[in-house]
Amino acid sequence: MPLSEHEQRLLDQLEQQLHADDPKFASHMEAAGSRSLSTRHIVVGALVAVAGVLVLLIGISAQIIAVGVLGFVIMGAGVYWATTRRPSRGQASGPRRSSPSKGGFMSGLEDRWDQRRNGEER
């Protein structure tokens, strides 16, 4: 459901106030939005975590503490790899600006957002 004009104005005011009050936090939140979870990283991380559990169980059954600890470390690394967010493809750092010629739903929303902001500043 789209926002009404009044809600859009309130949202714009809140965003401007956030940028004015705490620009460091606002830029951090914009950068955090440009990161996403990758399905490939989740699958690889889950496989590494399962391998870590297997090594841990082998270490426990053989009563070799070093192998058990190694399995735990491998398991933790797999979980870390699966849950860490990475920049989206095609982004080095910072928020992305999509070109209007690209099309798509999000591009249209960004264009309308920019038009509204430019219309209010005049």
Side-chain angles (χ1 to χ4, degrees):
M1 172 184 277
L3 297 176
S4 68
E5 290 298 320
H6 176 68
E7 292 169 333
Q8 282 290 338
R9 282 193 300 272
L10 288 175
L11 185 62
D12 290 340
Q13 290 173 357
L14 286 171
E15 182 183 8
Q16 290 171 358
Q17 184 179 2
L18 176 63
H19 281 284
D21 291 347
D22 195 354
K24 185 177 179 182
F25 177 72
S27 65
H28 176 71
M29 292 307 293
E30 287 175 353
S34 66
R35 297 178 181 267
S36 65
L37 290 174
S38 168
T39 305
R40 181 175 45 163
H41 286 276
I42 293 171
V43 170
V44 170
L47 291 174
V48 170
V50 168
V53 169
L54 292 175
V55 172
L56 176 66
L57 291 174
I58 290 170
I60 290 172
S61 66
Q63 295 183 352
I64 303 172
I65 294 174
V67 174
V69 170
L70 178 66
F72 183 79
V73 169
I74 292 171
M75 182 180 56
V79 170
Y80 176 77
W81 179 261
T83 58
T84 302
R85 294 184 180 264
R86 285 156 192 83
S88 299
R89 287 184 180 173
Q91 280 186 327
S93 63
R96 187 179 103 223
R97 290 284 150 206
S98 64
S99 63
S101 62
K102 186 175 181 181
F105 178 73
M106 290 305 292
S107 177
L109 287 178
E110 289 175 1
D111 291 340
R112 288 189 357 212
W113 174 260
D114 291 338
Q115 289 172 357
R116 285 189 186 124
R117 292 194 73 196
N118 291 338
E120 288 183 11
E121 293 173 358
R122 292 180 187 163

